[in-house]
Amino acid sequence: TTVDGQTTKNLYNEYIRQFTGTNGRLVGSDGAPSVIPYLPAATDLFYYITDYDPAVFSNISIDENGVMTYTISSGAASDCSYINIVFVLK
């Protein structure tokens, strides 16, 4: 949220980054594989925004590949800005 105006974010790429541990913070329970064994393709997921800060975000849309387009209001973003994203298997 550092750029005002319309922008995009590939939610699927963020999903893969989080669930493959490339963010460096994947920890499994004892006996679990070191990687999550199944990661769906981008089109195997539904993408939802369940809540967001309307003072910051507007014109939100998500395509079938998980690319979210949105507008950030000029100067409205702060450390307290939020957007909740949910990934659901089809």
Side-chain angles (χ1 to χ4, degrees):
T1 60
T2 58
V3 178
D4 293 341
Q6 188 174 25
T7 191
T8 62
K9 172 72 76 178
N10 189 314
L11 299 179
Y12 180 72
N13 286 348
E14 294 297 321
Y15 175 91
I16 291 299
R17 190 172 66 81
Q18 179 178 355
F19 288 98
T20 57
T22 56
N23 63 4
R25 296 183 294 275
L26 180 66
V27 177
S29 62
D30 290 341
S34 60
V35 297
I36 295 175
Y38 172 74
L39 295 172
T43 55
D44 292 334
L45 295 168
F46 292 119
Y47 303 86
Y48 296 93
I49 303 300
T50 59
D51 199 8
Y52 60 93
D53 186 340
V56 176
F57 300 99
S58 62
N59 304 315
I60 302 170
S61 65
I62 309 169
D63 73 13
E64 65 277 359
N65 292 301
V67 176
M68 179 177 69
T69 302
Y70 56 100
T71 301
I72 298 175
S73 300
S74 180
S78 73
D79 290 343
C80 297
S81 301
Y82 68 94
I83 189 166
N84 294 339
I85 302 165
V86 175
F87 303 89
V88 177
L89 282 172
K90 290 183 178 178

